[in-house]
Amino acid sequence: MAKEVVKKIKLQIEAGKATPAPPVGTVLGPAGINLGEFCTKYNEATRDKMGDVLPVEISIYEDRSFDFVIKTPPTSFLLKKYAKVAKGSVKGAAAVVATLTQAQLKEIAEIKLPDLNCYTVEEAMRIVEGTARNMGIAVEGFGSSSDEKVEENSEA
């Protein structure tokens, strides 16, 4: 018989740096799972992605055992990393803080594809480009021409 999931917890932890101290300990402690065991397993699983912030979904079962699924880094984290900026624009799309190339956008889209609600890299690129625009990160040769096409179609 399958074990019943009692609780699902979502966290964002830096790869390879999970410790039983807060914030991990304060969230997982009340759930009753072994913090040391979780931290060891998480750090081993994410050792190759050091420096990245990774979302993790933890399923806790009745017998206090657990499983976890590591997701891809958040799009905003990847955009800031590739654009080499500390944070996005305060004014959103109105103020451009950095520019990415098509190749960088495609790389980010390929990383994010498994977690996005789309099937092709081109669709993923459009989703990532939208996030970039809202963060004030422009993409060379992307977006502005498609906006003009939308205006042309609406007039016809």
Side-chain angles (χ1 to χ4, degrees), residues 70-93:
I70 299 167
K71 305 281 188 177
T72 58
T75 307
S76 58
F77 174 82
L78 290 171
L79 287 166
K80 289 187 291 188
K81 181 178 169 183
Y82 277 76
K84 296 176 177 63
V85 292
K87 64 180 192 169
S89 168
V90 178
K91 296 179 182 174

Side-chain angles (χ1 to χ4, degrees), residues 39-119:
C39 292
T40 305
K41 285 183 178 180
Y42 178 84
N43 290 339
E44 281 177 26
T46 59
R47 194 168 311 283
D48 58 328
K49 296 180 180 87
M50 288 294 266
D52 288 359
V53 173
L54 299 173
V56 61
E57 197 172 281
I58 308 155
S59 300
I60 302 168
Y61 302 105
E62 283 179 317
D63 61 355
R64 292 189 178 176
S65 62
F66 62 90
D67 285 331
F68 61 88
V69 178
I70 299 167
K71 305 281 188 177
T72 58
T75 307
S76 58
F77 174 82
L78 290 171
L79 287 166
K80 289 187 291 188
K81 181 178 169 183
Y82 277 76
K84 296 176 177 63
V85 292
K87 64 180 192 169
S89 168
V90 178
K91 296 179 182 174
V96 175
V97 294
T99 306
L100 291 177
T101 63
Q102 285 276 350
Q104 289 173 313
L105 182 71
K106 186 172 183 173
E107 232 176 284
I108 294 170
E110 287 169 350
I111 292 169
K112 288 297 297 174
L113 191 60
D115 286 347
L116 292 176
N117 189 15
C118 61
Y119 300 105

Side-chain angles (χ1 to χ4, degrees), residues 33-34 61 111 139:
I33 67 169
N34 184 336
Y61 302 105
I111 292 169
V139 179

Side-chain angles (χ1 to χ4, degrees), residues 17 80 93 104 111 118 121 123 126 133 139 142 151:
K17 294 191 177 177
K80 289 187 291 188
Q104 289 173 313
I111 292 169
C118 61
V121 175
E123 291 170 342
R126 296 214 36 130
R133 189 177 336 146
V139 179
F142 205 91
E151 289 171 24

